[in-house]
């Protein structure tokens, strides 16, 4: 791939453009808002000038509702040898393209499974897709050259290609992406009118659950409007679980011993099913999640503290598998939770204590 055209210079489009430009591809940028394309160009994502000849690949990075019309228009204008989109929904745009009479042999629907709570070109990074799954949804009619161009794009963005059926993809993302977004928003919405004394008690658990609730509502309306059926099906199943859990909790309040036992069993069942589901979430390098030992270190809230902690951990010869930071409310301190292999925890703890770090159990 020598040339590419990115249509839509938001977070995903600009990130792809940055990755391609950084690897020697000449990237042209287009957007319904020319100022946004110029912003992306100023970041080094390419040029806002129109290509003077068909490019190798056109990457359509617009909301799902506009994918079909944008791809069909680009094909009519003969802008590229191959066309793909990066929207988060795949079945609908393909059906719309069929209705528009577009050339599906030179089109491929794709979806990089990566994003951020922020949107727009200023939130873009060249490494946004690194190590992340990038779904490709070819059909028997997909031209081999287009599939190869898509695979090259995924490789240049250092993502991991995953081939799926378009409708199976939409059901999958409804489960692992779209429904979690709504559930996070529903939990966060409980905080909007909560008493201030309750909000002040917020800890790491509520921060974890509500992190993605900070996403752009307009962007998510575009996504959910393109995949409402599968999301509604999963939410209906969640609603049934919620109803059963509410009934179980009411049972725990009962004076009747049998109802209390039944309620406890119901609550324990949903917690255990949650454990089983969480165990299936891929861990480091895509493998099954490992059980790590947590070494908790008190750190001050000043520049250089984390760098010093990581440097001291590195000197101990310990590989940190994961890290979390829990912030202390209204205090200039926090707790850094270093996840390590269980066998490495004693040596790391001893080494950090020797260097003056306060370890918390």
């Amino acid at each position: 791939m020598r040339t590419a055209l990115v249509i839509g210079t938001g977070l995903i489009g600009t990130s792809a453009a940055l990755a391609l430009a950084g690897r020697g591809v000449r990237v042209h940028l287009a957007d319904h808002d020319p100022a946004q394309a110029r912003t992306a160009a100023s970041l080094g994502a390419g040029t806002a000038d129109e290509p003077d000849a068909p490019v190798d690949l056109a990457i359509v990075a617009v909301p799902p509702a506009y994918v079909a019309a944008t791809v069909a228009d680009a094909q009519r204008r003969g802008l590229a040898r191959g066309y793909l989109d990066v929207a988060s929904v795949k079945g609908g745009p393909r059906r719309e393209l069929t209705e528009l009479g577009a050339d599906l042999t030179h089109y491929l629907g794709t979806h990089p499974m990566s994003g951020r709570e922020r949107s727009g070109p200023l939130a873009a990074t060249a490494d946004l897709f690194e190590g992340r799954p990038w779904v490709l949804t070819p059909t028997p009619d997909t031209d081999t050259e287009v599939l190869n161009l898509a695979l090259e794009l995924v490789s240049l963005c250092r993502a991991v290609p995953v081939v799926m059926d378009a409708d199976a993809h939409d059901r999958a993302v409804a489960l692992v992406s779209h429904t979690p977004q709504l559930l996070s928003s529903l939990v966060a919405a409980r905080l909007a009118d909560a008493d201030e004394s309750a909000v002040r008690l917020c800890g790491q658990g509520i921060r974890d659950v509500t992190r993605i609730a900070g996403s752009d509502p307009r962007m998510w309306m575009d996504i959910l409007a393109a995949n409402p059926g599968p999301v509604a099906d999963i939410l209906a199943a969640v609603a049934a679980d919620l109803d059963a859990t509410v009934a179980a909790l009411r049972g725990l309040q009962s004076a009747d011993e049998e109802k209390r036992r039944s309620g406890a069993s119901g609550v324990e069942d949903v917690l255990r099913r949650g454990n089983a589901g969480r165990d299936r979430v891929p861990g480091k390098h895509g493998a099954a999640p490992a059980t790590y030992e947590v070494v908790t270190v008190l750190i001050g809230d000043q520049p250089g503290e984390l760098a010093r902690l990581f440097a001291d951990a590195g000197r101990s010869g310990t590989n940190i598998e994961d890290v979390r930071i829990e912030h202390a409310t209204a205090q200039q301190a926090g707790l850094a939770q270093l996840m390590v292999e269980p066998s490495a925890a004693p040596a790391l703890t001893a080494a950090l204590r020797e260097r003056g770090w306060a370890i918390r159990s």
Side-chain angles (χ1 to χ4, degrees):
M1 188 191 313
R2 297 185 303 275
T3 57
L5 169 64
V6 173
I7 304 174
T9 51
L11 169 65
I12 300 298
T14 303
S15 293
L18 286 167
L20 292 178
R23 289 162 178 80
V25 177
R26 179 166 177 78
V27 182
H28 297 268
L29 305 166
D31 197 283
H32 74 282
D33 180 358
Q36 185 157 285
R38 290 194 295 270
T39 297
S42 71
L43 298 172
T47 174
D49 296 337
E50 293 186 8
D52 52 16
V55 298
D56 294 325
L57 183 65
I59 302 163
V60 174
V62 300
Y66 303 101
V67 165
T70 304
V71 171
D73 177 67
Q75 287 188 342
R76 281 193 296 269
R77 295 164 60 191
L79 296 180
R81 290 162 46 210
Y83 303 82
L84 61 78
D85 78 275
V86 293
S88 60
V89 178
K90 301 273 62 84
R94 178 178 290 168
R95 286 186 282 273
E96 291 175 31
L97 280 165
T98 301
E99 294 169 2
L100 291 172
D103 175 14
L104 294 184
T105 62
H106 291 92
Y107 159 77
L108 178 59
T110 83
H111 178 205
M113 297 295 296
S114 186
R116 302 179 68 184
E117 289 78 48
R118 296 169 55 210
S119 58
L122 293 175
T125 64
D127 60 0
L128 183 68
F129 313 108
E130 195 164 321
R132 302 294 300 165
W134 192 312
V135 177
L136 309 176
T137 62
T139 70
D141 297 326
T142 303
D143 186 84
T144 301
E145 180 186 24
V146 176
L147 178 56
N148 287 338
L149 284 167
L151 288 169
E152 186 176 357
L153 167 67
V154 174
S155 176
L156 290 170
C157 291
R158 296 180 178 173
V160 180
V162 177
V163 176
M164 293 183 71
D165 171 77
D167 289 327
H169 162 274
D170 291 351
R171 291 190 296 272
V173 294
L175 174 64
V176 303
S177 176
H178 303 169
T179 298
Q181 174 63 47
L182 282 173
L183 292 176
S184 177
S185 295
L186 286 168
V187 173
R190 299 300 93 205
L191 299 174
D193 299 317
D195 188 271
E196 182 63 27
S197 61
V199 175
R200 291 181 63 188
L201 300 180
C202 285
Q204 196 60 42
I206 194 71
R207 290 189 180 98
D208 287 345
V209 171
T210 61
R211 179 182 62 83
I212 57 175
S215 300
D216 183 355
R218 293 169 299 178
M219 177 190 75
W220 272 101
M221 273 305 304
D222 288 334
I223 294 170
L224 294 167
N227 200 31
V231 178
D233 290 342
I234 295 168
L235 279 178
V238 172
D241 274 347
L242 285 173
D243 286 342
T245 304
V246 169
L249 289 168
R250 298 298 186 203
L252 287 173
Q253 292 180 301
S254 174
D256 185 282
E257 180 64 26
E258 181 63 29
K259 288 183 179 180
R260 286 202 303 274
R261 282 199 298 268
S262 176
S265 176
V267 173
E268 184 178 3
D269 175 67
V270 75
L271 294 172
R272 290 192 180 280
R273 285 192 289 127
N275 287 160
R278 178 64 183 84
D279 285 346
R280 296 194 65 195
V281 177
K284 189 175 181 182
H285 307 308
T291 300
Y292 296 128
E293 188 81 18
V294 178
V295 177
T296 303
V297 186
L298 180 68
I299 59 171
D301 185 17
Q302 59 255 6
E305 281 292 274
L306 273 177
R308 189 166 67 87
L309 173 60
F310 292 151
D312 286 346
R315 290 188 190 98
S316 75
T318 302
N319 184 46
I320 298 175
E321 305 291 344
D322 204 351
V323 62
R324 293 175 55 180
I325 299 176
E326 184 169 344
H327 301 280
T329 304
Q331 294 184 29
Q332 299 300 308
L335 297 174
Q337 298 174 335
L338 308 181
M339 281 70 133
V340 299
E341 294 288 348
S343 59
L348 175 61
T349 299
L352 292 178
R353 278 191 172 132
E354 185 180 334
R355 290 176 171 83
W357 292 99
I359 307 298
R360 295 290 185 265
S361 57

